[in-house]
Amino acid sequence: MVQFQSQDLPQLLIIHPPLSLAIAESQLSQKFHLLKAWESELPLDQFLTTYACSVQAMLCYPFTQVNADLLRLLPALKLVVSPTAGVNNIDLVECRRRGISVTTSGSAFSEDVADTAVGLLIDVRRKISAADRFVKGLWTSKGDYPLGSKLGGKRVGIVGLGSIGSAIGKRLEAFGCIVSYNSRSKNPSLTYPFYSSVHELAANNDALIICCPLTDQTHHMINKEVLSALGRKEVIVNVGRGAIIDEKELVRFLVHGEIGGAGLDVFENEPHVPEELFALDNVVLSPHNAAFTPESVESSSRIVIANLEAFFSNEPLVTPFMDD
């Protein structure tokens, strides 16, 4: 009886299993007939062909590449739903050409990512993680630990002042930091100084926080020249995407002491992280989980369901992706 009822629900295609969003599946299965491609014995192309004329909506996680080859197999598809804020795994041009709408998590993860970004900055500057290791193994034999650097009064440049960047800015203001930013365009409603060049932003700040999307334009945007402009005592934090920074150059700068430190939640070839970073006390690493708390996952689940319900009811989408 349950199986019969599920067949009568709107179909929702999911190609890869979720890693940490299991909360969503129990909720989704009550409202939609979940087509779980990874559970099928059929090759993916055959599985998709089976539902090619009926599937109108797909839920895609960041590791699902929604490209022209995939979309060609789904001629009836009209909606791609991302449970995160990132869309670098989705061919937006091809979706637009095919009349396929794309939705994201909106601001569901913004507060948690902002908390992590500021936490990484504090950790690197005050040497908290390194001091923890020192207490657990060296304090009795090595004596006093080197002092960390104050956060208040520091100049912090934010790369990407969307919902995450704005939340980071508010937090930094509370610490007494001097905030400036780089973005695709200047926001006239903000009082923060705007730099049209990320190189200029780096040259005029004590720290950079990266929280912009990964696009063709931002790939390796933080390169050798930008890192040189940042300087030997300054810090970089990345909670955006790993490939926004030229990782090989970043490793070289850190190993040779050419920048002051780094707090990294994202990496260019996850889950593989350059081993040269492991022994550096001025580097704090996090396994791409800045966004995820039980609260943010629950919020994202509600937004995913709201977008799907709106779509199947022919109502306006709740959080459509806006490429502005």
Side-chain angles (χ1 to χ4, degrees):
M1 183 65 177
V2 173
Q3 180 65 23
F4 175 76
Q5 290 177 341
S6 73
Q7 300 294 333
D8 292 339
L9 296 173
Q11 291 180 337
L12 177 62
L13 173 65
I14 310 176
I15 292 180
H16 295 111
L19 293 179
S20 59
L21 303 182
I23 295 173
E25 187 171 323
S26 61
Q27 298 169 339
L28 288 169
S29 61
Q30 295 174 25
K31 297 175 180 289
F32 308 101
H33 175 206
L34 304 185
L35 303 175
K36 304 176 186 178
W38 73 92
E39 291 185 353
S40 173
E41 295 181 356
L42 293 174
L44 179 60
D45 58 343
Q46 291 183 30
F47 179 84
L48 296 180
T49 300
T50 303
Y51 297 99
C53 296
S54 60
V55 167
Q56 295 186 349
M58 173 171 63
L59 175 61
C60 73
Y61 295 97
F63 35 82
T64 300
Q65 295 300 311
V66 182
N67 53 31
D69 291 338
L70 179 69
L71 295 174
R72 199 175 297 117
L73 298 172
L74 298 167
L77 192 70
K78 292 299 176 186
L79 178 67
V80 174
V81 178
S82 170
T84 70
V87 292
N88 56 288
N89 59 311
I90 301 171
D91 187 334
L92 297 171
V93 173
E94 185 67 14
C95 285
R96 193 178 300 116
R97 190 182 75 80
R98 291 175 174 271
I100 299 171
S101 299
V102 176
T103 66
T104 70
S105 62
S107 60
F109 297 109
S110 299
E111 299 293 322
D112 296 285
V113 176
D115 288 347
T116 300
V118 176
L120 287 169
L121 180 60
I122 294 171
D123 195 332
V124 175
R125 283 212 162 273
R126 294 304 306 269
K127 308 179 187 294
I128 295 171
S129 292
D132 174 77
R133 293 190 293 272
F134 181 82
V135 168
K136 292 175 178 176
L138 298 172
W139 197 8
T140 55
S141 60
K142 295 290 185 180
D144 294 337
Y145 189 72
L147 298 179
S149 175
K150 178 178 179 174
L151 180 60
K154 293 296 188 293
R155 302 168 302 161
V156 183
I158 300 173
V159 181
L161 208 73
S163 61
I164 293 172
S166 297
I168 292 171
K170 290 177 182 177
R171 284 155 174 75
L172 292 173
E173 284 188 276
F175 280 98
C177 294
I178 303 162
V179 178
S180 57
Y181 73 103
N182 164 268
S183 200
R184 281 177 291 185
S185 58
K186 182 177 181 179
N187 187 334
S189 67
L190 294 174
T191 58
Y192 301 149
F194 170 75
Y195 291 91
S196 59
S197 159
V198 71
H199 184 276
E200 265 190 278
L201 185 74
N204 287 277
N205 279 283
D206 304 309
L208 282 186
I209 298 181
I210 315 300
C211 53
C212 62
L214 175 61
T215 65
D216 290 341
Q217 292 71 39
T218 63
H219 181 268
H220 283 190
M221 177 173 65
I222 308 301
N223 55 23
K224 176 182 177 180
E225 289 72 27
V226 174
L227 293 170
S228 295
L230 187 59
R232 300 181 69 87
K233 295 183 179 180
E234 318 311 353
V235 170
I236 191 164
V237 170
N238 191 3
V239 290
R241 288 292 187 268
I244 296 170
I245 300 178
D246 184 335
E247 192 168 81
K248 290 183 179 178
E249 284 296 334
L250 176 62
V251 169
R252 188 179 69 79
F253 269 70
L254 287 165
V255 169
H256 291 92
E258 294 177 21
I259 61 171
L264 306 172
D265 180 61
V266 289
F267 307 90
E268 195 158 357
N269 298 295
E270 296 174 5
H272 305 290
V273 177
E275 293 185 5
E276 298 95 322
L277 301 178
F278 297 168
L280 300 178
D281 279 344
N282 60 339
V283 176
V284 178
L285 308 174
S286 174
H288 199 156
N289 66 355
F292 301 115
T293 62
E295 296 86 355
S296 67
V297 170
E298 179 64 28
S299 177
S300 172
S301 299
R302 288 195 299 268
I303 291 172
V304 164
I305 291 171
N307 276 309
L308 287 166
E309 288 182 328
F311 170 76
F312 286 114
S313 301
N314 292 314
E315 296 176 359
L317 298 171
V318 177
T319 54
F321 174 74
M322 306 295 289
D323 189 11
D324 53 6

